[in-house]
Amino acid sequence: MKSNFILGMCLLFLIQYFVRSEWLQLVLAVCAVIAFAGSVTRARTVPRIFSLLMFVSGIALTALKGLGIEAAAQGVTSNLPLLTLLVLVPLLSIPFKMGGFFDSILAYLKRYRHSPRRMFAGITAVLFVLGPILNLGSIRIVHDLLKDLRLNAAFLSKAYLIGFSTTILWSPYYAAVGVTLLYLNVSIGDYIRYGFGLAILFLVAGNLLFGVWSRKREREEGRESEGGITAADRKRMQRLPFIIVFLMLVTIAAESFTHWSMLVLVSLLAILFPLTWVSVSGQWSLLKNFVADYRNKAVPIMDNEIIMYISAGFFGQSLRETSFGDGISQFMTNIAQVSFLWFALFILVAMICVTFVGIHQVVFVTVFATQMDPAALGTTKEILAMVIMLAWSASSVLSPVNPINLLVSGLVKRSSIQIGFRDNGLYLALVCVMGITILTIFH
């Protein structure tokens, strides 16, 4: 019942985006409040506390400014584009499951099991390609494919976090990029050349760093016999990059042509891509099973994200034109006027600190991005977006309470601190220095 309600709310948002009806906006606001109330009791303690504080603060600030119900409705629904993207994007994985692409990926990875460097490159490349489509699910799927190979835990934590952290920098299908571009009003076509370039650079840097690390350790040997590569596997692996690139190009071209929100376009694509796939393949009964599995398993576990996104959007909107919001804006401007390098370092350190105590990055970005003026900071919207995404990526790996860190920690059976600092600390230090240096030069 709850999953159907959340999905219905997302579909209603897509309708409202094109209809632009005031009464639908109010209905959406009511739906968002109900979704918040239904999820807050099921969420983890830290997200629950911060979400309630932000939601109550949003109500108080809206009332103190003397704004009406329309302003409150706009605030409550301000992050619904992001929430819709988060809920619907997993649908993109269905055609890949139906087409047997994951089995072919496993066959190729098994081929490199006796070569740690090639295996590492293969895992990070797979996460780089699948991460934009499957988000966190890509890590779980890759781990399920590799669990019988009994690979070293430190090896896996490096591969998973290095491969996936690059996705955060560039993918228009990832919520981090979506919320940042939404609040800074940046086109994905303008942003992706920066994000994709840095992501490739960091992916190469991570593999080179692993090459140095692996020389100091014994060569890993697997226990399974190597799987054979069939003609069907080769065909699927040849098609996979073209499908991913096609989806990206469709998104960018559609945004350029229609000027619709990138979040809306990706959400629509998440619905249309599986329907188009089964229209060609005729696997309608199989689609029904996968959709039922998605509705029953993927949607119900999004309680933390639902309450954080709704409350953060409400709180961020309510801060506008307040003395506190103006103070944040002036503070950021003062730092940027001293030095853009200091400004970038402040964003990086501040986001790592807030995520370390359990505050989701979306809270930081919603509050700060809504108060930032790139022109006043002396930079461009694209560079500012890249600084935020670099900080988001680093904090996701380091924070012991971040979902990405917690997922990998649970899969490889190592503590969150170990996989964040010990296994990937040197890599993060390297790419943060590289990233801030490059962005400062471009700035």
Side-chain angles (χ1 to χ4, degrees), residues 73-143:
Q74 185 177 1
V76 169
T77 59
S78 61
N79 266 355
L80 278 189
L82 177 64
L83 187 58
T84 300
L85 171 73
L86 180 75
V87 171
L88 296 182
V89 152
L91 289 171
L92 288 169
S93 67
I94 292 177
F96 296 102
K97 294 176 182 177
M98 296 171 68
F101 288 92
F102 297 150
D103 295 332
S104 298
I105 288 172
L106 174 60
Y108 270 87
L109 288 179
K110 280 186 174 181
R111 187 179 186 182
Y112 302 130
R113 60 183 301 177
H114 296 300
S115 175
R117 294 182 198 174
R118 290 186 178 183
M119 175 65 82
F120 189 88
I123 294 173
T124 54
V126 167
L127 290 174
F128 185 85
V129 172
L130 293 184
I133 305 298
L134 306 179
N135 288 345
L136 279 179
S138 62
I139 299 177
R140 190 178 297 278
I141 288 173
V142 170
H143 187 75

Side-chain angles (χ1 to χ4, degrees), residues 121-428:
I123 294 173
T124 54
V126 167
L127 290 174
F128 185 85
V129 172
L130 293 184
I133 305 298
L134 306 179
N135 288 345
L136 279 179
S138 62
I139 299 177
R140 190 178 297 278
I141 288 173
V142 170
H143 187 75
D144 287 342
L145 295 176
L146 299 175
K147 61 184 178 182
D148 293 333
L149 299 185
R150 303 182 186 276
L151 300 173
N152 178 274
F155 169 90
L156 289 176
S157 74
K158 289 175 182 290
Y160 292 164
L161 290 173
I162 289 175
F164 190 79
S165 65
T166 58
T167 293
I168 302 174
L169 292 171
W170 70 278
S171 169
Y173 300 94
Y174 194 71
V177 176
V179 69
T180 303
L181 301 191
L182 172 68
Y183 282 116
L184 294 180
N185 193 26
V186 180
S187 164
I188 185 61
D190 294 332
Y191 171 82
I192 200 168
R193 54 184 175 180
Y194 295 99
F196 188 76
L198 275 187
I200 290 291
L201 179 63
F202 290 177
L203 187 67
V204 172
N207 277 270
L208 291 176
L209 195 62
F210 173 77
V212 175
W213 180 83
S214 63
R215 289 195 190 101
K216 301 177 182 179
R217 283 153 179 80
E218 295 181 0
R219 184 174 180 174
E220 296 192 31
E221 298 290 342
R223 299 181 182 179
E224 298 280 338
S225 60
E226 294 190 18
I229 305 297
T230 66
D233 290 328
R234 293 191 184 93
K235 185 176 181 180
R236 292 191 192 102
M237 294 302 290
Q238 289 170 356
R239 292 170 59 194
L240 181 60
F242 289 101
I243 295 174
I244 300 296
V245 170
F246 174 76
L247 292 174
M248 295 294 175
L249 291 178
V250 166
T251 303
I252 296 171
E255 184 194 43
S256 177
F257 179 75
T258 65
H259 301 291
W260 295 346
S261 165
M262 182 269 297
L263 299 176
V264 171
L265 287 169
V266 173
S267 299
L268 291 174
L269 185 63
I271 298 172
L272 295 175
F273 180 48
L275 292 176
T276 304
W277 184 277
V278 296
S279 295
V280 175
S281 64
Q283 299 172 300
W284 290 100
S285 59
L286 193 58
L287 174 66
K288 182 179 179 180
N289 293 334
F290 277 117
V291 170
D293 189 63
Y294 151 80
R295 182 192 60 202
N296 297 330
K297 295 181 180 179
V299 180
I301 63 174
M302 296 182 181
D303 293 311
N304 297 316
E305 289 78 6
I306 289 171
I307 63 172
M308 291 296 284
Y309 287 8
I310 291 175
S311 61
F314 190 17
F315 182 58
Q317 291 296 321
S318 67
L319 278 179
R320 289 185 172 180
E321 299 179 2
T322 64
S323 57
F324 182 71
D326 293 340
I328 292 176
S329 178
Q330 187 60 48
F331 176 71
M332 303 300 291
T333 302
N334 291 339
I335 295 178
Q337 287 177 349
V338 173
S339 168
F340 181 80
L341 175 60
W342 282 110
F343 169 78
L345 287 173
F346 171 79
I347 294 294
L348 176 65
V349 174
M351 196 176 295
I352 290 174
C353 290
V354 298
T355 54
F356 219 82
V357 297
I359 304 175
H360 197 280
Q361 293 100 323
V362 73
V363 177
F364 181 94
V365 173
T366 299
V367 172
F368 278 81
T370 53
Q371 314 304 323
M372 290 186 200
D373 180 5
L377 296 172
T379 188
T380 64
K381 295 184 293 184
E382 292 79 13
I383 294 295
L384 180 56
M386 273 309 316
V387 171
I388 292 174
M389 295 320 306
L390 177 62
W392 193 312
S393 177
S395 60
S396 296
V397 175
L398 286 177
S399 172
V401 292
N402 187 271
I404 298 172
N405 184 297
L406 287 173
L407 173 62
V408 175
S409 173
L411 293 177
V412 303
K413 311 301 181 187
R414 286 168 72 86
S415 74
S416 296
I417 297 295
Q418 276 185 309
I419 68 167
F421 284 90
R422 183 175 177 179
D423 295 344
N424 293 285
L426 180 60
Y427 162 75
L428 289 177

Side-chain angles (χ1 to χ4, degrees), residues 5-23:
F5 179 81
I6 297 299
L7 290 171
M9 181 179 68
C10 293
L11 295 176
L12 184 61
F13 161 74
L14 294 176
I15 295 172
Q16 157 62 14
Y17 181 81
F18 296 103
V19 174
R20 303 291 183 182
S21 167
E22 291 185 6
W23 71 269

